[in-house]
Each structure stands twice: as C-alpha cells, then as structure tokens.
Amino acid sequence: MSTEFDLDVWAAEARREPFTFTLGCRKFSMPVAGELDKSLLKSVNLSAPSPEDIEKLLKAGLADQWEDFDALPAPLSAIGELFRRWQKHEGAPLGESVASADS
C-alpha cells in the first residue's frame, strides 16, 4: 500500500538557512532560491535568465527589502555575482533540484 506524498510536509522540512549578504553596510536576507513561489516560472527563463529575469528573481527574493536594495549603487558584475552565490547557497541552480541533476 502506498502512502500519499504530503508536499506541505516536504516543503516545511526542506527549508534551509536564508541567504544573507551586505551591500552599502546594510544586511539583506533572502530565502533559499528554491523556496520562491512557483508563479515565477510563468515570467522568467530559469535555464538562461536574462538581466530582467535576474532582477525579477532578486526582487521576489528580497521582497520588502527590494526598495532599500534597489536604492543602493552596485556594479552589474556584483549583481551577477550575488545571483550566482544565491543559487550556490542552495547547492543547485534555480530550476534544478538535486533529484533532477541527471535529467
């Protein structure tokens, strides 16, 4: 007899430490990238994110901190590195889980 898979339990147990970073002497925190809502799949290309896609993802991750983050100057190369490190924090790129690494 099979047991029903409870996605709510899985999601609660899979939560990891938030990703934190500083910019302009201010500390910011974002959830693990894989915890963003699935609704983003409709508006971004996760396999080859454009600059606009990266901005949407960072905005979603920063949530109510976005305005403060956006007001601070930062070179584009730093934003790219921030995005890469956020992905790396989870251990898998956005759009790929450990289970799907072979697919």
Side-chain angles (χ1 to χ4, degrees):
M1 185 188 290
S2 68
T3 305
E4 183 177 279
F5 174 62
D6 190 331
L7 188 56
D8 293 323
V9 170
W10 180 88
E13 291 175 353
R15 298 199 188 280
R16 297 180 183 101
E17 291 295 314
F19 175 72
T20 58
F21 66 96
T22 57
L23 177 64
C25 298
R26 168 123 196 257
K27 184 176 178 179
F28 293 92
S29 178
M30 296 190 289
V32 173
E35 290 185 13
L36 295 177
D37 190 75
K38 67 178 177 58
S39 63
L40 284 168
L41 294 173
K42 296 175 186 172
S43 64
V44 297
N45 178 355
L46 293 179
S47 42
S50 69
E52 292 82 11
D53 292 338
I54 291 171
E55 183 178 45
K56 285 179 190 177
L57 291 163
L58 290 174
K59 189 173 184 175
L62 286 162
D64 60 348
Q65 302 166 88
W66 173 254
E67 286 186 26
D68 292 336
F69 173 81
D70 194 38
L72 296 169
L76 290 178
S77 60
I79 301 306
E81 185 62 22
L82 171 64
F83 186 69
R84 282 187 289 283
R85 294 209 182 208
W86 184 33
Q87 289 179 297
K88 195 176 206 180
H89 174 73
E90 184 173 14
L94 282 170
E96 293 183 21
S97 68
V98 174
S100 68
D102 294 335
S103 58

